[in-house]
Amino acid sequence: MPVIASLLPRTVRAAEVLAAPGLPDSVRGAGHEGPGAALHPEELAHLRHAVAKRRREFALTRSCARRALHALGAPPAPVLPGPHGAPQWPAGIVGSMTHRQGYCAAALAHSTDLRSLGIDAEPDEPLSPAVLDTFALPEERDSLRPCPHHSGVHHDRLLFSAKESVYKAWFPLTHRPLRPQHLQIRLHCPSAQATSSTDVPARSGTFHARVLPGPGHVPDTPALPRFFTGRWLADHGLILTAVAVPPSAHGCEEAGQDWTGAS
């Protein structure tokens, strides 16, 4: 099972590639192999002026997307960037993609099972204070104390990844940008658990997110969530985060209750 899938509901289908030495095949993924791995003509046209690195990242994520579409029982289809770079999925499909440092993944679901989802991958490395100041709220910076169970996790990078995942879930629902300063994250880290593939503990936990008032925001309505709940995992030198938005408003209300009850 793809590592990213462990952070998402069972209705999600995911595929990933992790090009790192010494990892088991179940983690490394299948690369360009599998149904519909070749790029569509529309995708090739989009890459006409792209540099080699961009072409490779684009092809790998589309390969993952095609494998996830196949697992959902959907036919292969071109996946082109839309407004603000968000992928445009076939009708009836919601999803998200990510690529970072040799890792890429796609996670998809039927729109009857989820309203939206977002995933992100980042290297488990520290950020410079200058970069942290560009996206972290004062209360978020104050909360970035080492967790006793996860002292090796770079929580500044985890905070950044969590905001990325929330944004990727937010944008398809609103079609409006969301500045990181208008999004507040609370990170939570239970005890580390041993992975099935190695003896190294996989550090994992959850996070809660709240969209704060700001200029240009969509007015508050029951149809648009302001609260999100996500999960995170730090393993193999990567930080992975994921957010799944439930299909009903009831699930969004639960996320709001989670935020209120979070310490």
Side-chain angles (χ1 to χ4, degrees), residues 65-105:
R66 232 89 69 196
R67 289 157 54 200
L69 282 170
H70 177 76
L72 281 177
V79 181
L80 297 173
H84 298 274
Q88 300 180 95
W89 301 108
I93 301 294
V94 298
S96 182
M97 297 188 295
T98 186
H99 54 80
R100 191 74 71 224
Q101 263 192 355
Y103 176 88
C104 66

Side-chain angles (χ1 to χ4, degrees), residues 231-248:
R231 300 178 65 193
W232 65 268
L233 171 71
D235 201 11
H236 300 307
L238 287 169
I239 290 174
L240 304 179
T241 57
V243 171
V245 181
S248 68

Side-chain angles (χ1 to χ4, degrees), residues 169-251:
W170 155 274
F171 186 82
L173 299 174
T174 65
H175 301 289
R176 297 195 181 194
L178 178 64
R179 296 184 64 188
Q181 294 84 354
H182 294 149
L183 182 61
Q184 185 177 0
I185 301 288
R186 289 180 181 171
L187 302 174
H188 308 280
C189 53
S191 299
Q193 301 293 324
T195 66
S196 58
S197 59
T198 71
D199 294 330
V200 179
R203 298 148 295 174
S204 62
T206 61
F207 60 89
H208 297 99
R210 176 176 64 167
V211 178
L212 304 174
H217 277 196
V218 179
D220 287 343
T221 68
L224 295 175
R226 290 194 307 114
F227 299 95
F228 298 83
T229 298
R231 300 178 65 193
W232 65 268
L233 171 71
D235 201 11
H236 300 307
L238 287 169
I239 290 174
L240 304 179
T241 57
V243 171
V245 181
S248 68
H250 176 69

Side-chain angles (χ1 to χ4, degrees), residues 105-144:
L108 307 179
H110 292 290
S111 57
T112 51
D113 294 321
L114 291 176
R115 291 175 66 194
S116 182
L117 63 91
I119 63 172
D120 185 66
E122 300 290 335
D124 193 356
E125 300 172 354
L127 290 169
S128 71
V131 172
L132 181 64
D133 288 343
T134 64
F135 70 87
L137 300 170
E139 53 267 49
E140 291 173 332
R141 290 195 295 269
D142 291 343
S143 70
L144 293 178

